[in-house]
Amino acid sequence: MTDLYPSRVADQPTWLERKDPVIHSPWRYESPLSQAQHEAFERDGFLVLQNVFETEEVAALQAEMNRLRGLPDSIDPETVIAEPSSGAVRSIFAIDRQSALIGRLAADERLVSIANHILGDEVYLHQTRLNYKPGFDGKEFYWHSDFETWHTEDGMPRMRAISMSVQLVDNFEFNGPLMLMPGSHKTFVTCVGETPDDHYKQSLRKQEYGVPDRDSLAKLAEQNGIVAPTGPAGSVVIFDCNTMHGSNGNITPFPRANAFMVYNAEANRLVAPFGAETPRPEFVGAREHTQRLVPVSGSLAKQVRAA
């Protein structure tokens, strides 16, 4: 397969024009996004939806988040990523397979219908995780394009995937929220340095390869600016796979946490990695667990009561 987005192959970074649509479906009155939302995502590469989930649903998700953070025996230790210094839980991957409630969240019609619309296809879960950024000790995550890693290390062929971050606590401008560069999704910034073996073991804690050079980041920021969406628990941040993003550390007493789902188009299933000898493990980039998501409607709280 021709590599349309070669990265980590030269000693100098380059900028490549995006070769894929941002939204693969035309807007219609029955679309799950308003016309203004549709156009904003096309232009900016991200969208913030406030109060998607109701108070009772958020409470159920928070209770599950706290339970899982205690690492019950049902959690596969390999899927748990710790903070590099404190050892506190940073992320739990493949969480849709380890929690019935998070699996139900990932299949929720309110999310899947938007993924279907943006990607113009049926979708499956490329990756899921719970992210924790504790108060005082939560570390930063450096600027990056997810697609650069998914393409180079997982073998995702095209820019036809999106991320959805369901906020499980209130997001403030001061507790290390997600930061994005609007419009950066239309340019692919290549990275320098060959991919080390088993790079994921280090990169999930602190990424050093697959991060853009400072000159490119400065230029992107100057051209596009930086925004840090805030909002109450139950809100959702949706962003394109190539949107440049990162987050600061959290030295406040107020923790951050989110449930993170990556939806990939059926037509964009993984092939051999474009810049690594072997693909990352299944819990990071799905190759076997790629069942098409069938949207489920109704309250998440009913899932808890039924259980």
Side-chain angles (χ1 to χ4, degrees), residues 113-266:
S113 64
I114 295 174
N116 291 152
H117 171 74
I118 292 175
L119 302 178
D121 197 1
E122 303 293 339
V123 298
Y124 72 93
L125 292 168
H126 169 69
Q127 183 188 105
T128 65
R129 62 183 187 264
L130 278 179
N131 290 329
Y132 301 94
K133 184 174 281 190
F136 298 115
D137 296 322
K139 299 303 180 184
E140 75 283 350
F141 212 91
Y142 198 69
W143 292 105
H144 64 286
S145 153
D146 285 328
F147 178 74
E148 196 281 338
T149 296
W150 299 340
H151 180 73
T152 304
E153 299 189 38
D154 295 340
M156 182 177 287
R158 308 295 292 262
M159 293 181 184
R160 201 171 178 180
I162 59 170
S163 298
M164 295 196 188
S165 176
V166 178
Q167 307 306 306
L168 301 182
V169 299
D170 295 345
N171 256 29
F172 305 106
E173 67 276 8
F174 47 72
N175 66 335
L178 177 71
M179 299 186 296
L180 309 108
M181 296 186 186
S184 60
H185 61 303
K186 296 183 179 179
T187 302
F188 181 70
V189 179
T190 70
C191 297
V192 174
E194 294 184 1
T195 308
D197 292 339
D198 291 334
H199 178 231
Y200 75 94
K201 294 180 179 179
Q202 173 63 28
S203 67
L204 298 181
R205 292 160 59 89
K206 182 179 180 181
Q207 191 165 2
E208 295 182 359
Y209 294 86
V211 297
D213 63 289
R214 293 186 175 186
D215 287 344
S216 293
L217 288 172
K219 185 176 178 181
L220 277 175
E222 182 179 351
Q223 290 181 352
N224 301 290
I226 297 173
V227 298
T230 60
S235 301
V236 180
V237 181
I238 307 168
F239 58 100
D240 180 83
C241 61
N242 190 47
T243 300
M244 197 66 69
H245 63 287
S247 64
N248 284 325
N250 182 17
I251 62 171
T252 76
F254 306 105
R256 275 190 65 227
N258 61 76
F260 192 88
M261 280 80 64
V262 179
Y263 298 92
N264 193 26
E266 287 272 358

Side-chain angles (χ1 to χ4, degrees), residues 261-299:
M261 280 80 64
V262 179
Y263 298 92
N264 193 26
E266 287 272 358
N268 199 39
R269 288 174 177 269
L270 305 185
V271 296
F274 290 89
E277 288 296 321
T278 57
R280 297 190 298 174
E282 177 74 13
F283 75 88
V284 183
R287 294 176 177 274
E288 299 175 4
H289 295 77
T290 57
Q291 296 89 348
R292 177 180 66 87
L293 281 176
V294 178
V296 181
S297 59
S299 171

